Amino acid sequence: MKKALVTDVDALKAKLEHYLQIDKIVYRITVDLINVSSENIDDKLNSMLREVGEYFGIDRTYIFLIRDNDLIDNTHEWCREEIVETMQHMKGIPISGFTWWLDEIERFGNVHIPRVIECEDEATRQMLLPFGVQSLLSVPLLKGDEYMGLIGFDAVREERSWDENEINMLEMMAYVVSGAISTVRREKELIDARSKAVEGDQIKSAFLSSISHELRTPLHHVIGFSELISQMSKNEEIISFADMISESGKQLLTMVEDLFDLSVFNEGNIRPQCEEFKLADLFNELKHGFETVLNIASKNDVIENIFECDEELLNRVIVSDKRKISSILNHIYRNAVKFTEGGIIRFHVMTSANKLLFVIRDSGIGIDSKIQKEIFGLFMKAKTVSSNLAGIGIGLPIAQLLTKAINGQLYLDSEPGKGSSFYLEIDFNLPESES
């Protein structure tokens, strides 16, 4: 009985490690496709197919895209060594030949054939068996409710099947690919109609909005599943693995939420919403939020938070946009944690010449003066810091956009190797009863 229990625990650990690795692959693919363009999309998609194929031990991975004239083409393919390539034979196929596939997708959301030889659709068997396909999984590429094509995974050397969580994560990857392909198609359309400056803003806005909406639901499933395992299991190692999956999912969800905020801001839907609130309430909310961020980053044992504010100032009631102030400071703080391996992060609130000043000072890697202006630009992270650090370079740009929306100022002091200080300055507006 004990041996069987140990075997079950080992199997569950292996499965959790497997799901965690898939989560990391989806994260890398998402980040890689953020800045996709017509010049690099083929390389990025081929690289994605190779990475997924090698990890899952799949023999052939591919993408089919539908043309405007109801034909479908095999546009991208990766094959393991000694596996026959099929892309050259899969061009200009009438979409009518995929009727059974479309029906399966309508019913189940995907096409999963563990044994092709037993597939109920004769046309599908005749198409797959000549290429040695024993098992197949295909997930749709969708733009809203419209089919764009599919991503397929073939097992040739031996039969295999995919479990529900693997399929969910591969479907989440398909959402990302759909967004990237939509972006490039939109780019090509806009090139003919608008200048590149206008085109770039609209493409990014459309892609960011699309990808954030599509990723939220499956991400909540991943997080919920891992938290359920953590609550139900009594094995400390399994709980640790489950917590790693949950934290990784939450980090990806934070990135998705940022992408959604950015798409909203780019559309001009950002307005200040002022309210009366006690500064102490904001201060305590930020304190709790900062501690949570530090804990999720697993740096609470190497970074010390220091919170400073005069007691009299904390008791003051001010009029401003509390939600946007909180969002700005949270973006800055997360950035500070990301680039601080150890030491202190100090949060200070003070008044200066009828202004309210929030300061976040860290002891991290610092920022060279030559690129300090650039860090508020979109997706500048990759050009300014090590690519080993997580993130896609939108936190500070969002903070800057929010700051402008509330008529504030955001600036910094920094020196490489000595840390950075970020300053948020807003009007110190009092309620009418105190003015």
Side-chain angles (χ1 to χ4, degrees):
M1 178 70 179
K2 185 176 180 181
K3 184 177 180 181
L5 182 61
V6 170
T7 302
D8 289 343
V9 169
D10 289 342
L12 184 54
K13 283 165 53 181
K15 184 169 287 190
L16 288 173
E17 288 179 321
H18 176 54
Y19 293 150
L20 178 61
Q21 185 61 34
I22 298 173
D23 192 36
K24 290 180 178 178
I25 290 174
V26 173
Y27 179 87
R28 286 198 298 271
I29 291 171
T30 301
V31 172
D32 194 41
L33 290 177
I34 287 295
N35 285 324
V36 71
S37 68
S38 57
E39 288 78 21
N40 62 20
I41 187 169
D42 290 330
D43 290 340
K44 289 180 180 291
L45 292 180
N46 287 327
S47 175
M48 175 208 70
L49 293 176
R50 178 188 55 76
E51 181 174 13
V52 174
E54 289 179 343
Y55 176 73
F56 279 92
I58 301 168
D59 299 311
R60 185 187 295 122
T61 59
Y62 47 86
I63 295 174
F64 277 71
L65 293 179
I66 298 173
R67 294 190 219 164
D68 293 336
N69 55 358
D70 291 332
L71 298 177
I72 189 167
D73 298 319
N74 187 176
T75 57
H76 302 79
E77 183 183 64
W78 172 85
C79 294
R80 193 172 297 279
E81 287 186 15
E82 301 180 0
I83 300 299
V84 177
E85 295 181 359
T86 64
M87 188 166 70
Q88 59 183 338
H89 305 290
M90 295 292 185
K91 302 287 187 182
I93 303 172
I95 195 66
S96 57
F98 285 78
T99 302
W100 179 82
W101 293 56
L102 296 176
D103 289 342
E104 287 290 289
I105 289 171
E106 285 290 335
R107 292 169 60 197
F108 306 110
N110 59 73
V111 178
H112 185 196
I113 312 176
R115 300 197 72 204
V116 170
I117 197 169
E118 295 178 358
C119 177
E120 63 185 47
D121 184 66
E122 182 178 355
T124 297
R125 291 199 309 273
Q126 292 178 354
M127 179 171 61
L128 298 176
L129 289 176
F131 297 108
V133 182
Q134 296 196 52
S135 304
L136 174 143
L137 172 67
S138 175
V139 294
L141 298 174
L142 299 171
K143 181 181 180 183
D145 296 327
E146 176 187 354
Y147 290 109
M148 300 171 58
L150 59 88
I151 300 181
F153 310 91
D154 289 352
V156 177
R157 294 171 299 171
E158 59 184 6
E159 295 176 354
R160 70 156 294 166
S161 61
W162 288 261
D163 67 37
E164 183 178 352
N165 288 294
E166 288 176 327
I167 293 174
N168 284 338
M169 291 179 178
L170 289 171
E171 287 176 340
M172 182 164 59
M173 184 186 71
Y175 286 139
V176 177
V177 173
S178 298
I181 293 173
S182 295
T183 298
V184 171
R185 287 181 173 179
R186 182 62 176 159
E187 176 187 7
K188 291 178 179 177
E189 293 172 2
L190 290 175
I191 285 175
D192 296 332
R194 303 189 179 200
S195 67
K196 287 188 177 180
V198 174
E199 162 210 318
D201 287 342
Q202 292 197 358
I203 290 170
K204 284 179 181 177
S205 179
F207 174 51
L208 297 178
S209 179
S210 172
I211 195 175
S212 59
H213 280 298
E214 299 292 0
L215 282 174
R216 282 175 173 175
T217 298
L219 270 175
H220 281 297
H221 289 166
V222 171
I223 294 169
F225 173 73
S226 60
E227 290 179 346
L228 184 62
I229 291 176
S230 182
Q231 294 168 9
M232 295 177 64
S233 177
K234 295 182 180 180
N235 183 286
E236 291 297 326
E237 193 168 5
I238 289 177
I239 292 173
S240 175
F241 278 122
D243 289 342
M244 287 173 64
I245 294 175
S246 178
E247 290 176 8
S248 179
K250 287 175 181 177
Q251 290 175 5
L252 183 54
L253 185 60
T254 297
M255 183 185 75
V256 170
E257 296 290 353
D258 287 348
L259 290 171
F260 178 73
D261 287 343
L262 185 59
S263 68
V264 171
F265 300 159
N266 282 345
E267 292 170 3
N269 299 324
I270 176 172
R271 301 286 186 275
Q273 296 179 336
C274 294
E275 59 179 312
E276 293 185 9
F277 61 90
K278 198 172 183 180
L279 194 56
D281 294 336
L282 173 63
F283 188 84
N284 290 329
E285 287 176 14
L286 289 168
K287 184 176 180 181
H288 175 74
F290 290 174
E291 295 289 358
T292 300
V293 170
L294 197 61
N295 184 56
I296 290 175
S298 300
K299 291 187 176 181
N300 48 325
D301 57 339
V302 294
I303 295 177
E304 179 186 1
N305 276 332
I306 297 178
F307 301 92
E308 299 174 330
C309 186
D310 181 74
E311 190 70 29
E312 183 178 348
L313 181 58
L314 284 176
N315 290 324
R316 299 296 298 270
V317 174
I318 67 171
V319 178
S320 192
D321 192 324
K322 181 182 176 184
R323 181 178 177 277
K324 289 185 178 63
I325 294 172
S326 177
S327 181
I328 294 165
L329 294 171
N330 270 289
H331 279 298
I332 296 172
Y333 181 80
R334 288 207 303 265
N335 205 65
V337 170
K338 187 190 308 179
F339 298 112
T340 301
E341 291 304 316
I344 293 173
I345 298 179
R346 188 183 303 271
F347 175 58
H348 188 54
V349 185
M350 67 188 82
T351 56
S352 175
N354 296 322
K355 299 287 184 179
L356 192 59
L357 189 63
F358 301 88
V359 184
I360 294 179
R361 182 174 289 113
D362 65 62
S363 56
I365 62 175
I367 306 168
D368 192 288
S369 60
K370 296 178 182 178
I371 60 173
Q372 288 182 13
K373 292 182 179 180
E374 295 181 13
I375 65 169
F376 292 107
L378 285 175
F379 308 113
M380 293 304 296
K381 175 255 176 185
K383 297 180 180 179
T384 56
V385 300
S386 169
S387 59
N388 293 326
L389 295 168
I392 56 176
I394 62 174
L396 291 180
I398 288 176
Q400 183 72 287
L401 287 167
L402 289 170
T403 300
K404 291 180 179 178
I406 60 175
N407 297 316
Q409 289 188 333
L410 183 60
Y411 50 95
L412 76 150
D413 283 328
S414 186
E415 187 176 340
K418 295 187 178 180
S420 304
S421 297
F422 283 81
Y423 303 87
L424 171 63
E425 185 180 280
I426 64 171
D427 292 331
F428 193 2
N429 295 324
L430 301 174
E432 292 183 4
S433 58
E434 297 186 31
S435 354

